[in-house]
């Protein structure tokens, strides 16, 4: 039975994958939450998050081109720090991905869909996740082709909001003074900016998902850096414009209290049916779930091939060569989370889990520079970049609420347990297997 993946991903497909994951469902609720944390100058924490995320993205670019294999951060941590660290990092990323898909499935069955039709939540969730799993099983090229089309819809929807917000400004109904309002009653300028940056940081982490596709990229050395930094710059420009027009068009309190902040711009501007924007939002939610589902299945496949998860997860479909066991397992876990409705509390731990992963990746870049493993002709960043990447993660750790840390301990604890088991197995294994 074949256990290798097909190299079918071109530079444009990878670019749209990263861009689609970055401009995903989160942006439709993100700006309101940032406004509540940082004040009217939403653009400032967005740019801060972009700068911090770019440091770790550069480290990913080096590792993905040096070790173009599924498994991503887990594979890098295993090579640099051993199977215990690889297990912990992999579980953190895998848990974040599975929870994210479950949350997005639940969101798909929520208010945006109810604006169009009224169907039972459980039925919508089951059909939604089964359809995504089938598309994932069909093949990576087909999945990314669907993503490219959905990404165009997402970007079109965001361009619509930017256009409507600009019209509000031009007709004189905006308040440009809000663009300089930073801070809240509880926090000063620096603290408020960093608090908003923690939320905004999650909106720029599509590059983590993409590294799990490195083994399926036709020419990772050339394609990955171009697609990665191109997508980050595109997303940064879109978010900056969104931050400017939404803050100027909608009062900060109204923006912060809305569960659909971009819909508030539609209402202020007028002339566009709210149902149209609901359809665009549903496409964004579905696309985000598809991309995260692809990442989760490839991560599980890669961890299993590294011996960190059960070996059956490495099985692929003959001909299609997609990891069908990993796809089925991760989709099933997401379905359980979505149907139980316990996703909201866990979703708040995603940034914490990602920061653990990003810290390990930046450390791995520095450690692996002492070895000669991997592709000789790979993308390379200055040594100061991963150092600053670690510092940025430590800074954001200090801005995470204590309640989120407590909720994350259970998931991190599972990762630690798996790390201990894998470390013990490694010590008992013969030298040649180690």
């Amino acid at each position: 039975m074949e256990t290798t993946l097909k190299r079918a991903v071109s530079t444009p497909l990878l670019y749209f994958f990263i861009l689609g994951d970055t401009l995903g469902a989160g942006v439709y609720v993100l700006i309101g939450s940032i406004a509540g944390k940082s004040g009217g100058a939403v653009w400032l924490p967005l740019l801060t998050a972009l700068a911090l995320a770019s440091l770790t993205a550069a480290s990913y670019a080096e590792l993905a081109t040096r070790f173009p294999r599924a498994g991503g951060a887990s594979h890098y941590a295993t090579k640099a720090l051993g199977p215990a660290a690889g297990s912990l990092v992999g579980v953190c990323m895998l848990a974040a991905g599975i929870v994210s898909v479950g949350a997005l499935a639940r969101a798909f069955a929520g208010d945006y869909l109810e604006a169009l039709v009224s169907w039972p939540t459980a039925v919508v969730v089951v059909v939604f996740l089964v359809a995504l799993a089938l598309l994932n099983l069909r093949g990576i090229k087909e999945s990314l082709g669907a993503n490219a089309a959905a990404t165009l819809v997402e970007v079109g929807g965001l361009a619509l909001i930017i256009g409507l917000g600009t019209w509000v400004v031009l007709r004189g109904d905006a308040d440009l003074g809000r663009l300089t309002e930073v801070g809240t009653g509880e926090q000063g300028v620096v603290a408020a900016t960093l608090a908003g940056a923690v939320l905004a940081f999650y909106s720029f982490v599509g590059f983590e998902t993409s590294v799990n596709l490195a083994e399926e990229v036709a020419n990772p050395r050339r394609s990955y850096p171009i697609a990665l930094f191109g997508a980050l710059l595109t997303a940064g420009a879109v978010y900056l414009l969104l931050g400017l027009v939404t803050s100027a068009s909608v009062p900060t309190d109204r923006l912060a209290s809305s569960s659909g902040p971009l819909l508030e711009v539609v209402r202020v501007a007028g002339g566009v049916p709210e149902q149209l924007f609901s359809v665009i939002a549903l496409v964004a939610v579905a696309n985000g779930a598809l991309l995260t589902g692809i990442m989760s299945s490839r991560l599980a496949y890669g961890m299993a091939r590294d011996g960190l998860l059960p070996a059956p997860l490495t099985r692929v479909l003959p001909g299609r060569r997609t990891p069908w066991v990993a796809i089925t397992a991760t989709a099933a876990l997401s379905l359980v989370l979505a149907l139980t409705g316990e996703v909201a509390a866990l979703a708040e731990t995603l940034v914490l889990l990602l920061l653990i992963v990003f810290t390990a990746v930046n450390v791995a870049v520095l450690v692996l520079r002492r070895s000669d493993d991997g592709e000789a002709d790979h993308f390379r960043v200055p040594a100061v970049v991963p150092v600053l990447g670690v510092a940025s993660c430590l800074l954001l750790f200090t801005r995470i609420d204590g309640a989120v840390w407590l909720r994350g301990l259970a998931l991190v604890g599972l990762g630690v347990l798996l790390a201990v088991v894998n470390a013990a197995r490694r010590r008992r294994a013969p030298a040649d297997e180690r």
Side-chain angles (χ1 to χ4, degrees):
M1 182 176 293
E2 292 181 289
T3 59
T4 58
L5 303 180
K6 184 177 181 180
R7 291 194 176 276
V9 180
S10 64
T11 302
L13 284 178
L14 185 61
Y15 167 82
F16 277 111
F17 181 98
I18 301 172
L19 183 63
D21 204 21
T22 304
L23 297 179
V27 71
Y28 290 89
V29 295
L30 176 69
I31 289 179
S33 300
I34 295 174
K37 292 281 188 180
S38 301
V42 175
W43 59 270
L44 183 57
L46 283 168
L47 287 185
T48 302
L50 173 61
L52 296 177
S54 296
L55 296 171
T56 299
S59 292
Y60 269 103
E62 176 166 330
L63 292 174
T65 55
R66 185 176 177 183
F67 306 103
R69 288 179 46 139
S74 173
H75 180 67
Y76 311 145
T78 298
K79 291 190 70 67
L81 306 171
S87 297
L88 177 59
V89 169
V91 169
C92 286
M93 197 59 227
L94 189 58
I98 291 171
V99 170
S100 180
V101 173
L104 291 173
R106 194 81 183 186
F108 189 89
D111 293 339
Y112 282 120
L113 184 64
E114 289 180 2
L116 304 173
V117 295
S118 181
W119 290 344
T121 298
V123 173
V124 174
V125 165
V126 171
V127 172
F128 178 74
L129 287 177
V130 169
L132 290 184
L134 290 175
L135 181 56
N136 197 351
L137 287 168
R138 173 78 179 170
I140 188 65
K141 189 173 183 179
E142 290 81 0
S143 297
L144 295 192
N147 162 67
T151 299
L152 292 176
V153 174
E154 289 180 28
V155 174
L158 298 178
L160 173 64
I161 294 298
I162 293 171
L164 290 175
T166 302
W167 167 241
V168 173
V169 173
L170 292 176
R171 75 187 188 194
D173 292 335
D175 183 356
L176 298 180
R178 285 194 288 265
L179 300 180
T180 60
E181 295 176 356
V182 186
T184 62
E186 297 77 24
Q187 299 186 102
V189 172
V190 175
T193 300
L194 290 176
V198 170
L199 293 174
F201 190 78
Y202 180 65
S203 66
F204 287 105
V205 297
F207 56 84
E208 159 55 38
T209 305
S210 67
V211 298
N212 293 285
L213 297 183
E215 190 171 336
E216 297 169 89
V217 175
N219 185 354
R221 169 64 183 88
R222 177 182 178 278
S223 296
Y224 192 78
I226 294 174
L228 171 62
F229 295 115
L232 278 180
L233 288 175
T234 303
V238 172
Y239 282 158
L240 175 60
L241 292 173
L242 281 172
L244 291 172
V245 300
T246 53
S247 295
S249 302
V250 183
T252 303
D253 292 343
R254 179 176 171 183
L255 197 63
S257 62
S258 175
S259 60
L262 299 187
L263 197 57
E264 298 297 331
V265 179
V266 176
R267 290 168 177 159
V268 169
V272 176
E274 295 183 16
Q275 290 82 357
L276 173 62
F277 197 75
S278 293
V279 172
I280 294 173
L282 289 174
V283 171
V285 170
N287 194 39
L290 173 63
L291 299 182
T292 308
I294 292 172
M295 178 279 293
S296 300
S297 61
R298 269 54 176 186
L299 176 56
Y301 164 89
M303 289 180 66
R305 194 169 60 179
D306 283 344
L308 304 178
L309 288 176
L313 292 170
T314 63
R315 294 176 183 170
V316 300
L317 284 176
R320 291 287 174 187
R321 290 164 62 187
T322 50
W324 69 273
V325 176
I327 292 171
T328 303
T330 53
L333 291 172
S334 295
L335 178 61
V336 171
L337 287 172
L339 291 177
T340 57
E342 297 297 328
V343 179
L346 292 175
E348 296 180 23
T349 68
L350 292 178
V351 171
L352 171 60
L353 294 168
L354 290 172
L355 287 176
I356 294 173
V357 173
F358 291 171
T359 301
V361 167
N362 284 299
V363 171
V365 171
L366 299 172
V367 173
L368 289 171
R369 287 191 171 183
R370 305 172 187 170
S371 71
D372 297 326
D373 294 344
E375 302 291 334
D377 181 25
H378 63 83
F379 180 81
R380 189 178 179 90
V381 297
V384 69
V385 172
V387 173
L388 292 175
V390 172
S392 69
C393 292
L394 296 178
L395 176 64
L396 292 176
F397 273 131
T398 66
R399 311 312 306 172
I400 294 177
D401 294 338
V404 175
W405 280 98
L406 290 176
R407 285 196 296 268
L409 285 179
L411 294 174
V412 175
L414 290 175
V416 171
L417 178 61
L418 182 60
V420 171
V421 170
N422 285 325
R425 288 173 53 196
R426 184 177 176 85
R427 284 195 300 268
R428 291 196 299 267
D432 59 337
E433 291 184 14
R434 291 199 299 269

